[in-house]
Amino acid sequence: MHHRAPSRRTLLTVTAAAAAAAVTGVTVPVAHAEPDTSLRSLERLISRMSLEEKVGQLFVMRVYGHSATDPDQADIDANLAEIGVRTAADLVEKYHVGGVIYFTWAHNTRDPHQIAELSNGIQRAGLAQPTPLPLLISTDQEHGIVCRVGEPATLLPGAMALGAGGSRADARDAARIAGAELAAVGIRQNYAPVADVNVNPANPVIGVRSFGSDPEAVADLVSAQVRGYQQAGVAATSKHFPGHGDTATDSHYGLPTITHTREQWAELDAPPFRSAIAAGIDSIMTAHIVVPALDPSEDPATLSRPILTGILREELGYDGVVVTDSLGMEGVRTKYGDDRVPVLALKAGVDQLLNPPKLDIAWNAVLQAVKDGELTEARLDESILRILRLKARLGLFRRPYVTAAGVDRTVGTRAHLARADRIAEGTTTLLVNEGRFLPVSRRSHGDVLVVGADPASPSGTTGPPTTTLATAFTELGFTATALSTGITPTAAKIEEAVAAAAGKDVVVVGTYNVSATSPQRTLVARLVATGVPVVTIAIRNPYDVAWTTGQRATLAAYSWTDVELRAAVRVLAGRAEPRGRLPVPVQRADDPTRVLYPVGHGLSYA
């Protein structure tokens, strides 16, 4: 049946009715939601937007504060200093931004109800503009070591842990749970899953954020997560195109170069992005990396038309939203000034400009580029249509607001938490078990000392890793003591740990990114010398196992979030089977050209 396309007035009337529903609780009927009619109405909507509104729709910006209209004074001061506005509502009013990104450090994510209220406040600001438009609110909720929304929301294993589990169903369910909880608080675009293939163990920025080193295995899990997120009503974002897995430089602080040939790129880096596109991915994030084989100009991929238009759009056939990685990162700022970066990104084929360091410079640069003819208004319209089409597909025009009841019904439910625990158990990997020392019994090894690194916790976890591990042992009936020795334990801390080990039945050491010169190696060696059995848990990179010797057993947890550490303790105590298998190879410390433990290695108790 043919339906007449809704007019701009009709579309905005439906949106205004949704605004009233946020107050009254009245359900607004869905009208004119067919994709073809929505597309035509969005095209007419764009034709009526001012140039300033069009420029604003391209930007996704950070803003400080827990409230859209009444943030704390310190957040007002930060907003004035960095953005030139007082509040999130002022940001929307002044710059007409199409999206806002939430960060923990910007005080956007204190608790689920606060996040929901902030999201509603931002949407009210968007719908109060001359051209009322909902915003696309986003965040980086990868889980594992990158997490912006914390407890009481459900925390789930990160990518490499899921890679160790190897289960598409678990990866899909993790994304579905994460997506449902994000949508409940008004976050409708998530910058996950990571599609980078971590083929470089020295990668300082990706590492355990990747599903692993095998392109096809990564591709399978990426597509599973894309489907999970998008079934939950959240736009998934695969990143970082064309592939950030083989870098030795962190693009936050420098400009990495990938030396893969075009053939190597097609074999190693491309498969997860192809898989994401085949799964219907809503958005893809660019990388601030140089790939000379793909673009000999040595522009970062974010600013490369050969990479973003030639490869991503034309060769891979992708017509969804392309979002930059943060424009405040050094990798994209090394070659061009902050006024040129957003213009060049749009010319390359980008749609969304994420988090520029100075919004006024970036916004005015795009505006001026259109006025000068360097960018056409038609080019802006292409990106705006993709952005609005995504907002329409997510239902934001029909239902921009969330409710307190929806938060209570969805976030951190018993079912979600129980499923997270089961998924985590399937990821824990037993790498070493000399003499079948594990599992330990509280009868024979009931007095446990937990020592080790306590890195800053991802958002919302309950405590430092040593405390979390000790608490988990205690809950299983063990007597456990926690002693934080730090990432770089001093001689005094090592002596304190050795003294504390006296009389214990077992010592559990949480290791973190151990290297050749790390004093964590000395800590483990001194504890082994006491004669008390030592068990190590790699709480981030599984490569730690190559650098320590003498321990009776080693587990890989892939993150120090509570859900993964609790699962590791259940495995240690025999309450769960170790089912994880290495998704990356671990090279020998004395000869990195030789493999100590291959992909697929993992011991079991059976």
Side-chain angles (χ1 to χ4, degrees):
M1 181 182 295
H2 178 73
H3 294 280
R4 177 178 295 176
S7 66
R8 175 174 178 269
R9 181 182 299 275
T10 301
L11 187 66
L12 300 183
T13 299
V14 171
T15 305
V23 179
T24 64
V26 175
T27 300
V28 180
V30 177
H32 307 292
E34 293 81 358
D36 57 342
T37 55
S38 292
L39 182 62
R40 291 198 296 272
S41 67
L42 293 174
E43 288 172 337
R44 284 198 294 272
L45 180 58
I46 292 169
S47 72
R48 291 171 170 84
M49 292 169 63
S50 70
L51 177 57
E52 289 77 10
E53 288 174 321
K54 290 182 179 184
V55 171
Q57 278 298 300
L58 305 173
F59 284 92
V60 181
M61 189 60 184
R62 71 189 179 279
V63 65
Y64 290 85
H66 70 285
S67 165
T69 56
D70 189 27
D72 295 338
Q73 186 59 49
D75 292 323
I76 292 174
D77 293 342
N79 285 329
L80 287 170
E82 294 187 19
I83 313 173
V85 298
R86 295 172 58 85
T87 68
D90 294 342
L91 168 68
V92 175
E93 180 180 5
K94 180 174 181 179
Y95 289 104
H96 317 292
V97 293
V100 168
I101 179 173
Y102 287 170
F103 291 104
T104 309
W105 50 259
H107 311 138
N108 304 140
T109 58
R110 290 181 179 177
D111 66 75
H113 282 285
Q114 168 269 317
I115 300 169
E117 291 172 5
L118 174 61
S119 298
N120 284 344
I122 289 171
Q123 297 294 7
R124 278 191 289 271
L127 297 175
Q129 296 307 298
T131 302
L133 290 171
L135 279 84
L136 190 52
I137 297 171
S138 60
T139 199
D140 292 284
Q141 189 80 348
E142 296 174 15
H143 287 277
I145 69 169
V146 177
C147 206
R148 312 301 189 207
V149 181
E151 293 182 344
T154 305
L155 299 180
L156 292 139
M160 192 171 285
L162 293 172
S167 167
R168 287 177 55 87
D170 283 356
R172 184 192 63 243
D173 284 357
R176 181 184 53 77
I177 290 168
E181 297 196 7
L182 289 174
V185 299
I187 299 171
R188 302 300 298 277
Q189 183 178 24
N190 190 23
Y191 299 134
V194 171
D196 303 315
V197 180
N198 198 67
V199 295
N200 186 348
N203 195 318
V205 66
I206 304 300
V208 294
R209 298 168 61 197
S210 164
F211 290 106
S213 63
D214 179 79
E216 296 305 325
V218 172
D220 283 346
L221 296 178
V222 164
S223 62
Q225 289 230 298
V226 168
R227 292 187 174 96
Y229 279 118
Q230 295 184 180
Q231 287 168 3
V234 166
T237 308
S238 58
K239 60 186 184 184
H240 307 77
F241 190 82
H244 209 312
D246 193 10
T247 59
T249 300
D250 185 340
S251 52
H252 290 84
Y253 309 108
L255 180 58
T257 296
I258 301 280
T259 59
H260 292 177
T261 65
R262 179 66 186 255
E263 293 72 26
Q264 287 174 320
W265 174 82
E267 180 183 350
L268 294 173
D269 302 293
F273 292 101
R274 292 184 185 274
S275 179
I277 292 168
I281 185 79
D282 279 329
S283 53
I284 290 177
M285 180 178 284
T286 69
H288 305 326
I289 58 174
V290 169
V291 190
L294 304 185
D295 181 356
S297 75
E298 300 197 358
D299 279 343
T302 297
L303 310 181
S304 168
R305 185 169 178 82
I307 291 175
L308 298 187
T309 296
I311 295 176
L312 182 57
R313 295 283 191 209
E314 296 172 359
E315 181 180 322
L316 301 186
Y318 179 65
D319 192 39
V321 171
V322 174
V323 57
T324 70
D325 205 343
S326 171
L327 297 183
M329 293 167 60
E330 198 60 33
V332 79
R333 303 173 72 192
T334 57
K335 193 171 179 180
Y336 301 100
D338 290 338
D339 59 333
R340 294 301 298 155
V341 165
V343 175
L344 294 173
L346 291 169
K347 293 175 75 172
V350 157
D351 301 307
Q352 289 183 309
L353 302 163
L354 178 63
N355 199 30
K358 291 293 183 181
L359 180 57
D360 60 336
I361 292 174
W363 191 91
N364 281 298
V366 174
L367 184 69
Q368 193 62 45
V370 177
K371 291 179 177 179
D372 292 345
E374 183 178 7
L375 288 170
T376 66
E377 200 163 341
R379 168 65 191 89
L380 268 57
D381 292 351
E382 291 176 15
S383 287
I384 295 165
L385 181 59
R386 290 191 187 101
I387 294 164
L388 295 188
R389 195 172 60 193
L390 176 53
K391 291 180 181 182
R393 188 158 62 246
L394 294 171
L396 284 168
F397 283 99
R398 293 179 284 110
R399 193 174 180 182
Y401 297 102
V402 294
T403 65
V407 172
D408 292 337
R409 187 170 56 246
T410 308
V411 178
T413 65
R414 287 186 179 181
H416 285 179
L417 295 171
R419 185 72 180 104
D421 282 339
R422 291 195 300 274
I423 292 171
E425 287 175 357
T427 71
T428 305
T429 307
L430 180 58
L431 301 176
V432 175
N433 193 17
E434 294 292 342
R436 300 179 69 86
F437 178 71
L438 296 182
V440 295
S441 164
R442 64 183 180 184
R443 296 187 187 92
S444 57
H445 295 92
D447 197 352
V448 179
L449 173 66
V450 179
V451 303
D454 277 334
S457 292
S459 173
T461 55
T462 57
T466 52
T467 301
T468 299
L469 289 166
T471 299
F473 272 112
T474 300
E475 289 172 350
L476 295 181
F478 290 77
T479 300
T481 305
L483 173 63
S484 175
T485 49
I487 296 173
T488 54
T490 63
K493 272 294 178 185
I494 292 172
E495 292 302 329
E496 185 180 355
V498 168
K504 301 297 182 183
D505 297 318
V506 63
V507 178
V508 175
V509 184
T511 64
Y512 180 91
N513 290 5
V514 180
S515 65
T517 59
S518 173
Q520 293 178 66
R521 299 180 70 191
T522 304
L523 172 68
V524 172
R526 289 291 308 282
L527 288 168
V528 167
T530 67
V532 178
V534 172
V535 175
T536 59
I537 303 177
I539 64 172
R540 183 168 179 165
N541 291 329
Y543 313 117
D544 289 2
V545 67
W547 294 102
T548 57
T549 58
Q551 65 268 28
R552 298 292 296 275
T554 296
L555 293 174
Y558 305 101
S559 176
W560 60 102
T561 52
D562 296 3
V563 67
E564 288 163 291
L565 295 182
R566 290 195 307 264
V569 170
R570 290 195 297 276
V571 168
L572 281 169
R575 304 298 179 89
E577 279 284 329
R579 291 183 283 123
R581 299 293 181 264
L582 276 176
V584 293
V586 174
Q587 279 83 17
R588 293 176 58 115
D590 58 349
D591 184 0
T593 65
R594 298 173 62 190
V595 173
L596 178 63
Y597 297 116
V599 170
H601 173 76
L603 306 176
S604 63
Y605 294 151

